[in-house]
Amino acid sequence: MMQVSPILRINALTKTFDTFTALHGIDLNVSEGEFLAIVGPSGSGKTTLIRILVGMDEPSDGAVWLRDTRIDVIPANKRPTCMVFQSLALFPHRTVGQNIEFPLKLRGVARADRKARALELLDLLRLPQEYYDKRIQQCSGGEKQRVALARALAYDPEILFFDEPLSALDYRLRKTLEKELKDLHRRTGKTFIYITHSLEEAMVMSDRIAIMKAGRFEQIAPAEEIYARPVSKFVAEFMGEVNFFDLSAGDAAGVTISPRAKTALGAAKGALTIRPESLRTLGAQETADLSFEGVIVAEYLLGSRVQYRMELATGQEMIVEVLRENAVSGGIGARLIVGCDLKAAHLIEEAHDAAA
Ligand code: ADP
Ligand code: MG
């Protein structure tokens, strides 16, 4: 793979508020042109991090580098142009054109050149040219987001930072803008750093996802890898519904581990993660590396799939998802045997989870 030198390097960044540590010496490299999503629950330190990156706050320790320049010591307005996109910051009584041209005006760009660039940006954001004279107040929520983006791009920043820009919008508009943002990223070739608490949003748009937990990065990897090989239970659960099978439980009532699987697992310690859709229902003659027998306690229709919650004799609940055409008859109260092969399970080693 071609080695691209990072555009942004975060080194041992720490942020302390009085006695509370919001960021615990975090490290991160972002490649030129990358779309990186930073995802984490509320209070995990996402906004604190981005505020430091754009210069709205100072780190307590550590450093931030933009290529060869250390930027955490440079005032926000003197930094080699980083910009947060916030729709709220638009001037409501001004026109779309005036809003987009604002950064260009600050830089003393001549009027005709400003207008030409604003019209180009309208085009890039797929807004009609007539919008140049429209007032912000007359724009819909989605149009305002596009204008805010056009203005952010008018700064011609090295990196575009986003802090949950779509969280206030309704579902359909959010879905549309997610795709537009991804498309915009591709067309501009800029580096995007995008904060969200929505994993779904991060998965649609980004090249890599950094999962944050209590002021630390828990895992930084492409979405598929985080989904298939989570480093901890926290990450696995953040990526959606998942079953954990604790290896220390071994052969419990209703749980069968095949001899082949036992050999393969050896002395492994920790928990296996099994996604609900990795489990299949087993007929009387069928076997699998891991099989679980229980009773259906709940049933939900999820479009083309059916989800079952089943309770094992041990009391543990498992989530199973099958295609609708494979739905089991009997429903709640029915006995169910499901299984999967080891290759569909992922081992989270005990040591790693304890350290997290
Ligand atoms: P997120 O954006 O992931 O929801 P934040 O970065 O806003 O989280 O906050 C992380 C933690 O730091 C929270 O516990 C929050 O209460 C705390 N925090 C943020 N800003 C301040 C501040 N100015 N003073 C004290 N604590 C703060
Ligand atoms: Mg926040």
Side-chain angles (χ1 to χ4, degrees), residues 271-284:
L272 292 174
T273 64
I274 305 167
R275 295 280 166 198
E277 65 275 18
S278 301
L279 289 164
R280 60 179 190 276
T281 53
L282 296 178

Side-chain angles (χ1 to χ4, degrees), residues 293-332:
E293 181 177 351
V295 170
I296 297 176
V297 292
E299 183 181 30
Y300 308 98
L301 193 58
L302 312 171
S304 61
R305 302 179 150 265
V306 186
Q307 183 183 91
Y308 300 106
R309 295 200 173 241
M310 75 176 220
E311 197 179 300
L312 309 187
T314 56
Q316 191 193 342
E317 255 195 30
M318 291 194 74
I319 310 168
V320 181
E321 251 177 64
V322 298
L323 286 174
R324 232 170 131 172
E325 66 241 37
N326 299 331
V328 295
S329 55
I332 293 172

Side-chain angles (χ1 to χ4, degrees), residues 156-173:
D156 196 22
E158 295 263 16
I159 301 175
L160 264 89
F161 290 98
F162 304 86
D163 190 357
E164 312 216 17
L166 309 182
S167 55
L169 303 175
D170 69 57
Y171 182 79
R172 278 195 48 196
L173 184 53

